[in-house]
Amino acid sequence: ARVFVRVAQTSRRGFFGDACGLRWGDDRVRAVPVAMGRPSLRELQRVYTAMTRVRIAHFDIPEMSEIVAAPEPASVDSSDSQLSEHTLEPEPHPELIAFVHDVARRMLDERETDAAIVAHVCEHLSTLLDAFSDPAVGLRYLDGCPGVQAQRTPTLLHLAAAQGRRELIGFLLDNGEDPTITSGHAPLYAGGMTAYQVSRDRATRDAFRVYRFEHEGEADGIDWERARVPEPLSPEQQRENEAKQRDKKRRDRERRKQQQQKKKEKERSKAAESSGGSGDEEEAMLDRIIAEKGQQTLRGRVKQMTSDEIRRRMRAVAAEARDAKPRLTPEQQRAAERELRFKAAERRRLQQQQHAGVPRPTADT
């Protein structure tokens, strides 16, 4: 039995839950092997149909007379040959492995720019092409590279996508890098992800889609279904998506700024209530200043400020003025409270005497 899952990288930690018997890394868990859009019932039915059907292709078989038999290979005298017992499984050239590991190290270095890495690889482009075409190098050639998690980024294309180096994606694909290679654990690699799926952000994923838009339909093109890259994206759509992302970030910054301002105003109002200040007097003063703003020519930034901005500014000034007042010691505060209570009791006694008809005592009596 197999369980096919399509879930974002950030949601994997709590996807299965504690009560579920499955865990990431289980042999039964597999990634959906076809490109999938937004999760919906229609999309799920389409993926299920694509995974449960077999595609059959018909080919025209040429006439037997047109088939030319290939000549048999000449026999090799084993006594004269210098082939060793390792000829069937050749070892990769050390210089090729060292070169791709050096390129991977440059990708991990944040000080290296994409343009600098491309320029360095172009100077040794023949070495890169030899590494991609040599069968002894292997498909997942970053295994054993220092600082690289080969189980997640087994190729340079995986590493460039995970690091968000968009300029390197098109360069590597132009020079023969295979985007259908999956990561994971040996020997099946069935539950792994392609380079597109390990992309760092949306802009990096859009780089794959734009490359598909520019090169789809070529005779020796890429199998984009196996690469798990969704529908192509035109450069105009990419620029539109980037503009939307910038607008979203700007709105998020403005919302956070407004939340911070509201929080500060709430703290100032609480401080004013705790200090015993008269809110009515402050409101009257602010209303008077706002009314004068329309009659007088204010200087500096005040001339460009709205009524709400002036109100916030005056509240901040009032809060700073209250904070600047000398604070009473606990003994002085208790003495002031006793004085206020004594005056209040004296006022109540005089009021009671007036209601009872007792003349108010004067200084002569």
Side-chain angles (χ1 to χ4, degrees):
R2 295 289 184 268
V3 179
F4 293 92
V5 181
R6 178 67 181 272
V7 62
Q9 186 73 20
T10 55
S11 304
R12 287 196 168 194
R13 178 174 298 179
F15 181 76
F16 288 115
D18 298 333
C20 183
L22 295 175
R23 292 291 184 271
W24 293 108
D26 195 322
D27 294 337
R28 295 171 292 178
V29 178
R30 295 288 186 270
V32 177
V34 296
M36 187 174 179
R38 293 183 176 274
S40 61
L41 181 59
R42 180 178 298 178
E43 183 68 12
L44 183 61
Q45 292 175 349
R46 184 191 68 80
V47 172
Y48 178 79
T49 303
M51 293 176 59
T52 54
R53 290 186 179 181
V54 178
R55 295 183 180 180
I56 301 176
H58 298 276
F59 298 93
D60 296 332
I61 301 177
E63 298 295 333
M64 298 300 295
S65 59
E66 298 180 1
I67 300 177
V68 180
E72 297 182 359
S75 60
V76 179
D77 189 1
S78 59
S79 60
D80 297 335
S81 64
Q82 301 295 330
L83 299 178
S84 63
E85 59 182 356
H86 302 288
T87 303
L88 297 179
E89 297 180 0
E91 294 292 332
H93 296 282
E95 63 275 10
L96 300 181
I97 298 297
F99 176 74
V100 294
H101 287 187
D102 178 68
V103 176
R105 180 186 59 79
R106 291 175 179 269
M107 288 185 183
L108 294 175
D109 191 356
E110 297 180 355
R111 297 171 297 180
E112 293 282 351
T113 62
D114 294 356
I117 297 175
V118 171
H120 172 73
V121 176
C122 288
E123 295 178 358
H124 308 83
L125 187 58
S126 59
T127 307
L128 179 69
L129 298 178
D130 291 342
F132 287 165
S133 60
D134 190 354
V137 174
L139 298 178
R140 299 164 181 85
Y141 46 80
L142 291 185
D143 189 13
C145 181
V148 176
Q149 298 179 358
Q151 295 179 354
R152 184 172 183 270
T153 55
T155 66
L156 290 178
L157 188 60
H158 279 83
L159 187 60
Q163 295 293 322
R165 296 186 176 275
R166 291 173 288 174
E167 297 183 10
L168 292 176
I169 292 174
F171 176 79
L172 293 173
L173 291 174
D174 287 338
N175 288 280
E177 184 71 293
D178 189 0
T180 63
I181 298 175
T182 58
S183 60
H185 300 273
L188 297 178
Y189 298 100
M193 296 184 293
T194 61
Y196 172 82
Q197 294 176 309
V198 301
S199 298
R200 182 175 184 177
D201 48 24
R202 181 176 180 177
T204 308
R205 292 190 294 271
D206 288 348
F208 282 92
R209 297 175 61 189
V210 171
Y211 189 89
R212 176 178 179 177
F213 176 83
E214 296 174 349
H215 298 82
E216 193 172 26
E218 297 180 355
D220 55 347
I222 299 170
D223 188 353
W224 296 107
E225 294 296 329
R226 288 182 57 196
R228 303 172 189 173
V229 178
E231 65 276 2
L233 182 70
S234 64
E236 292 78 10
Q237 293 174 339
Q238 184 187 23
R239 288 191 290 268
E240 183 178 354
N241 291 342
E242 291 177 353
K244 290 181 179 179
Q245 287 294 111
R246 289 193 296 268
D247 293 340
K248 182 180 178 182
K249 291 180 180 179
R250 178 181 55 80
R251 290 194 298 269
D252 292 342
R253 288 195 300 268
E254 292 178 354
R255 186 178 67 255
R256 288 193 297 267
K257 186 177 180 180
Q258 292 177 358
Q259 291 176 354
Q260 292 176 359
Q261 290 178 353
K262 290 180 180 179
K263 184 178 180 181
K264 291 181 180 179
E265 291 177 2
K266 189 175 181 180
E267 292 176 354
R268 292 194 187 103
S269 62
K270 288 183 178 180
E273 294 176 358
S274 61
S275 61
S278 177
D280 297 337
E281 295 179 359
E282 290 184 2
E283 291 294 332
M285 180 181 63
L286 292 174
D287 293 337
R288 185 173 62 256
I289 293 175
I290 292 172
E292 292 175 358
K293 175 180 178 291
Q295 302 173 1
Q296 299 178 0
T297 302
L298 303 181
R299 299 179 181 179
R301 294 179 59 251
V302 180
K303 186 176 181 180
Q304 307 297 331
M305 293 171 65
T306 62
S307 300
D308 294 337
E309 292 176 349
I310 293 177
R311 188 180 296 276
R312 288 195 297 267
R313 179 58 181 166
M314 292 303 299
R315 285 177 178 172
V317 172
E320 293 175 358
R322 285 193 300 271
D323 294 339
K325 292 181 180 179
R327 297 183 180 274
L328 300 177
T329 62
E331 293 78 7
Q332 294 175 346
Q333 188 173 2
R334 285 193 292 270
E337 291 175 356
R338 286 195 299 269
E339 183 69 21
L340 292 175
R341 287 197 297 269
F342 175 77
K343 291 181 179 180
E346 185 67 19
R347 285 195 301 270
R348 286 195 298 271
R349 186 178 63 80
L350 293 175
Q351 291 175 359
Q352 292 174 359
Q353 290 178 359
Q354 290 177 359
H355 288 300
V358 179
R360 183 177 180 178
T362 60
D364 299 336
T365 58

